[in-house]
Amino acid sequence: MLDAARSGEIDSLDELAAQAHFSRFHLSRLLKKHLGFPLRDFLAAARVERSIDGLVDGHNVTRSQIDAGHDSPSSFHRAFRRHTGMAPAEYRKQMQSLAAFLMRQQNRDAPLVVLHRRFVAGEHRSAHPLTVQVSGAQPGSALFVALNPDPLVRDEPTLGIALLGTNTYNVDAIPAGTYYVMVVEVPRRSDVRAYFQMAGNRRQLRRVPVQFPLTERATVDLELRERIAEDPPITLNLPRLFAQAAKGQLDLEVSNSGQADGPGTP
């Protein structure tokens, strides 16, 4: 049923409840417990994910809106910007250049770690770091790791980590709280679609959140796998976040262990 909801075959809680032979309330409660967030958020993200697919396939904004099941242009624009950080027309316009920039960085010889933080690192240093390790990546892939209070990330995670040429990072700064740890792999491709259509990308989500500050050093191992039905739709504009960081708007590190050799921009 979640696969049907993701594809748009079922687009409301009432339809899902009828298929499952549950009451609307009971199904909503069950799915929130199972997913970690409300079903309505899953459905909204799935519509944005489908509209991204339409834009990447070359459709105009209006057709992408209609095909994805959005009721009106205004609601579409609000939902799209909330999830991607960009208006649909702007997203469509910048896809080629953003993907090309990330492709060039994937051709680097030296490891590169790009950090996006929604906080000031110096104010939230952790006495005990969390080591995040990703296994199973293809050579040349970019790995996008996120730590976020909700397994469904909208626009930007609390902490985003792009790993190129390395698969490990030590998280030594993050505000106190509970965070889900997740990763998606973006293989090196010549087709721009691979950088925005995430449905086929391998990923992993640690269903047990991590509580910061840690009482001792810990490690989270994320083994890449194919998408499963309960995985949240990925609507982040990952090339945009990466390009912002690489242009000096966010933090850069060049490292293979998560410890910075020194700040700077390319």
Side-chain angles (χ1 to χ4, degrees), residues 22-41:
F22 285 127
S23 71
R24 187 177 188 275
F25 173 78
H26 185 57
L27 180 62
S28 178
R29 184 175 59 184
L30 285 175
L31 286 175
K32 183 175 182 179
K33 181 178 180 180
H34 184 65
L35 294 170
F37 54 92
L39 176 64
R40 65 175 180 273
D41 292 349

Side-chain angles (χ1 to χ4, degrees), residues 5 15 37 53 62 99 104 127 158 166 181 185 193 235 244:
E15 291 179 73
F37 54 92
D53 289 346
T62 301
R104 290 196 298 272
T158 300
T166 182
V181 187
E185 178 188 35
R193 291 174 176 82
T235 56
Q244 286 180 336

Side-chain angles (χ1 to χ4, degrees), residues 84-124:
T84 70
M86 304 175 74
E90 182 185 10
Y91 191 105
R92 188 172 185 267
K93 181 179 179 181
Q94 293 191 23
M95 284 189 305
Q96 293 284 349
S97 60
L98 289 172
F101 182 81
L102 180 51
M103 288 178 196
R104 290 196 298 272
Q105 299 308 310
Q106 285 178 288
N107 290 326
R108 291 169 53 99
D109 292 328
L112 177 66
V113 177
V114 179
L115 299 180
H116 169 271
R117 297 186 180 106
R118 296 182 66 181
F119 57 92
V120 178
E123 297 176 1
H124 300 282

Side-chain angles (χ1 to χ4, degrees), residues 10 23 65 68 109 117 120 142 146 198 203 205 207 212 223 225 261:
I10 297 175
S23 71
Q65 169 215 321
D109 292 328
R117 297 186 180 106
V120 178
M198 297 284 109
R203 64 197 68 195
L205 167 63
R207 288 285 174 180
F212 287 90
E223 183 177 356
R225 53 158 173 76
D261 294 329

Side-chain angles (χ1 to χ4, degrees), residues 171-187:
V171 178
D172 58 7
I174 196 167
T178 301
Y179 296 91
Y180 291 88
V181 187
M182 60 200 85
V183 63
V184 62
E185 178 188 35
V186 179

Side-chain angles (χ1 to χ4, degrees), residues 46-259:
R47 284 191 288 271
V48 172
E49 185 179 52
R50 294 196 300 273
S51 65
I52 290 171
D53 289 346
L55 294 175
V56 174
D57 286 339
H59 300 161
N60 62 31
V61 172
T62 301
R63 178 174 171 182
S64 297
Q65 169 215 321
I66 294 171
D67 288 351
H70 294 273
D71 294 333
S72 68
S74 59
S75 65
F76 173 48
H77 280 250
R78 286 195 302 271
F80 196 94
R81 184 178 286 278
R82 183 185 182 206
H83 279 266
T84 70
M86 304 175 74
E90 182 185 10
Y91 191 105
R92 188 172 185 267
K93 181 179 179 181
Q94 293 191 23
M95 284 189 305
Q96 293 284 349
S97 60
L98 289 172
F101 182 81
L102 180 51
M103 288 178 196
R104 290 196 298 272
Q105 299 308 310
Q106 285 178 288
N107 290 326
R108 291 169 53 99
D109 292 328
L112 177 66
V113 177
V114 179
L115 299 180
H116 169 271
R117 297 186 180 106
R118 296 182 66 181
F119 57 92
V120 178
E123 297 176 1
H124 300 282
R125 291 292 177 190
S126 302
H128 305 287
L130 175 72
T131 298
V132 180
Q133 297 180 162
V134 183
S135 60
Q138 301 178 34
S141 290
L143 300 171
F144 289 90
V145 176
L147 278 76
N148 200 64
D150 191 319
L152 175 61
V153 185
R154 301 167 187 83
D155 187 12
E156 303 173 343
T158 300
L159 174 62
I161 310 160
L163 303 173
L164 283 74
T166 182
N167 65 346
T168 303
Y169 188 77
N170 294 327
V171 178
D172 58 7
I174 196 167
T178 301
Y179 296 91
Y180 291 88
V181 187
M182 60 200 85
V183 63
V184 62
E185 178 188 35
V186 179
R188 182 163 48 195
R189 295 283 190 271
S190 58
D191 186 352
V192 67
R193 291 174 176 82
Y195 293 84
F196 299 96
Q197 293 175 324
M198 297 284 109
N201 291 41
R202 294 190 304 158
R203 64 197 68 195
Q204 185 59 268
L205 167 63
R206 188 177 191 269
R207 288 285 174 180
V208 179
V210 178
Q211 181 69 43
F212 287 90
L214 299 174
T215 57
E216 60 182 5
R217 185 170 188 141
T219 298
V220 167
D221 294 306
L222 299 173
E223 183 177 356
L224 291 167
R225 53 158 173 76
E226 300 300 322
R227 189 194 72 189
I228 57 177
E230 57 265 39
D231 282 334
I234 298 174
T235 56
L236 302 183
N237 189 331
L238 298 173
R240 176 182 70 92
L241 296 178
F242 183 88
Q244 286 180 336
K247 291 176 182 177
Q249 297 180 34
L250 304 174
D251 295 331
L252 275 180
E253 295 184 359
V254 180
S255 168
N256 194 45
S257 64
Q259 301 308 313

